[in-house]
Amino acid sequence: MSDAALAVRGLTVHFRVRRGLVGSRVVRAVDGVDLALGPGETLGVAGESGSGKSTIARSLVHLTRPNGGTITLGETDVTSLRGAALRRYRRRMQMVYQDPYDSLDPRMTVRDAIGEALAVRGLSRDRRPGEVARLLSRVNLPDALAARYPGQLSGGQRQRVSIARALAVEPDVIICDEAVAALDVSIRAQVLNLLKDIQRDTGVAYLFISHDLSTLRFVADRVAIMYVGRVVEHGPSLELFAEPLHPYTRALIAAVPSVTARGTKRLHLAGEPPDPANPPTGCPFHPRCPEAIDECRRVRPELTVVGPGRSVACHVAVRSFRSPRSAAEPSR
Ligand code: SF4
């Protein structure tokens, strides 16, 4: 696998949806997102339903066409690829979905499903059975399962086959979109450990999209927290979970007792995320934020670097990092 790294700059995805018989409105599903992913690294992306995290995944594999921004894999700008170039790119960027049936045809045996991906890689027909066996072994499944159909497998086995199929084309990046969300807790831990082992052996990078922070704390090197189409906090996983800066991040973490940082002020996350077609003025989190000040209702906070690898989009959090004189200014 190559040294390619994924870089997303200013990614914007707006949908126009109909309202009534004649009107329409614009949903800002993703609104100027920057992300970077190095080889062999795992970036976690978290947020509530509707935060835009799955739209980012769909944009990266060209299932949704962005309105703006750039996507670069290695040296290649892949934002507007078409035809053969797009097919080559898709090989390098694989998806593992929550529901394995999104990537596995129920009418194809495991052997054929993985073999199809090996054909895309250009492997000759006579070498495919051996490679199918190697890939099944890589995901800790016996070769005897190769003759089965997805419906004859357990949920955990199906997800391992999805991973084997993704690996078959030797990708640079695997996007795991809620990939373990439907699995039992014990199976989930096994699959997460498997993904880590594969990364250590191959150097593949993961973009790990999950609403489950305990999963991200386990697998992610860095985490980006999204709210209504924007990144509101980003940082190394250890630091972000130990000292969350954004009130939304703190509320998400507080909702998962197993990842609550010691000494972190527990916040109850009340209310629902706003309509992305009609977000509040200022900080879109302000109607739910127990720390909101007047400025929050008027001025949208930009994502601001506050330390090595750490950034946050919050007026109050950023002030706490400024000089003592700035920090002492009245804020309410
Ligand atoms: Fe809360 Fe204001 Fe920070 Fe938004 S900017 S998260 S409303 S304190």
Side-chain angles (χ1 to χ4, degrees):
M1 296 182 193
S2 77
D3 286 334
L6 177 70
V8 174
R9 294 276 174 270
L11 188 72
T12 302
V13 184
H14 293 174
F15 300 113
R16 186 169 288 280
V17 294
R18 295 190 64 164
R19 184 167 58 178
L21 289 176
V22 290
S24 68
R25 57 191 194 143
V26 174
V27 173
R28 296 168 181 269
V30 178
D31 207 12
V33 164
D34 295 343
L35 295 173
L37 180 62
E41 189 185 30
T42 299
L43 173 65
V45 180
E48 291 168 289
S49 173
S51 61
K53 52 193 193 307
S54 288
T55 306
I56 290 175
R58 292 178 60 81
S59 301
L60 292 177
V61 293
H62 284 232
L63 291 175
T64 296
R65 200 160 277 281
N67 304 77
T70 59
I71 302 167
T72 310
L73 187 63
E75 301 295 313
T76 311
D77 183 343
V78 297
T79 319
S80 314
L81 292 181
R82 295 264 198 292
L86 176 58
R87 285 194 292 281
R88 277 198 300 276
Y89 163 69
R90 278 190 166 140
R91 265 189 55 189
R92 301 172 66 191
M93 182 81 73
Q94 291 292 299
M95 283 274 274
V96 175
Y97 298 89
Q98 176 175 349
D99 182 352
Y101 283 117
D102 284 340
S103 54
L104 297 179
D105 184 336
R107 295 160 303 180
M108 290 178 91
T109 63
V110 168
R111 178 179 293 113
D112 289 344
I114 299 175
E116 186 180 59
L118 292 172
V120 169
R121 194 175 101 196
L123 205 70
S124 62
R125 193 174 288 275
D126 59 322
R127 289 181 59 198
R128 287 178 211 161
E131 187 65 357
V132 168
R134 188 191 71 79
L135 285 163
L136 287 176
S137 169
R138 174 62 277 195
V139 296
N140 301 331
L141 289 176
D143 191 33
L145 289 190
R148 296 203 189 160
Y149 291 89
Q152 296 173 308
L153 305 175
S154 69
Q157 288 172 332
R158 269 196 297 274
Q159 202 55 300
R160 287 169 193 265
V161 172
S162 297
I163 294 167
R165 184 179 151 87
L167 291 172
V169 294
E170 299 183 331
D172 296 303
V173 177
I174 297 179
I175 301 171
C176 301
D177 189 1
E178 302 285 4
V180 296
L183 303 177
D184 293 343
V185 173
S186 62
I187 306 294
R188 185 182 305 172
Q190 290 173 16
V191 172
L192 290 174
N193 279 317
L194 173 67
L195 288 168
K196 281 186 155 191
D197 289 347
I198 290 169
Q199 185 175 61
R200 195 185 52 237
D201 294 347
T202 65
V204 69
Y206 297 131
L207 185 72
F208 215 102
I209 292 171
S210 178
H211 69 281
D212 178 9
L213 291 183
S214 57
T215 292
L216 293 188
R217 191 174 74 156
F218 183 70
V219 296
D221 300 301
R222 293 181 291 112
V223 172
I225 305 290
M226 291 196 64
Y227 191 73
V228 201
R230 289 193 172 198
V231 174
V232 295
E233 181 164 1
H234 170 262
S237 182
L238 279 176
E239 292 177 32
L240 186 138
F241 284 109
E243 190 195 1
L245 302 177
H246 198 286
Y248 179 59
T249 311
R250 285 204 289 277
L252 288 179
I253 290 175
V256 187
S258 62
V259 295
T260 303
R262 198 188 303 252
T264 297
K265 195 161 78 178
R266 289 182 73 94
L267 295 173
H268 176 62
L269 187 53
E272 299 292 325
D275 178 355
N278 187 26
T281 57
C283 173
F285 189 58
H286 87 250
R288 307 170 78 188
C289 182
E291 301 182 29
I293 56 178
D294 279 349
E295 186 182 8
C296 304
R297 289 174 260 280
R298 291 182 283 103
V299 182
R300 182 163 204 152
E302 295 300 326
L303 194 62
T304 304
V305 175
V306 292
R310 295 212 70 178
S311 49
V312 64
C314 170
H315 298 305
V316 173
V318 169
R319 273 178 201 204
S320 69
F321 281 88
R322 287 195 181 140
S323 66
R325 199 170 69 170
S326 299
E329 286 172 359
S331 57
R332 289 173 196 268

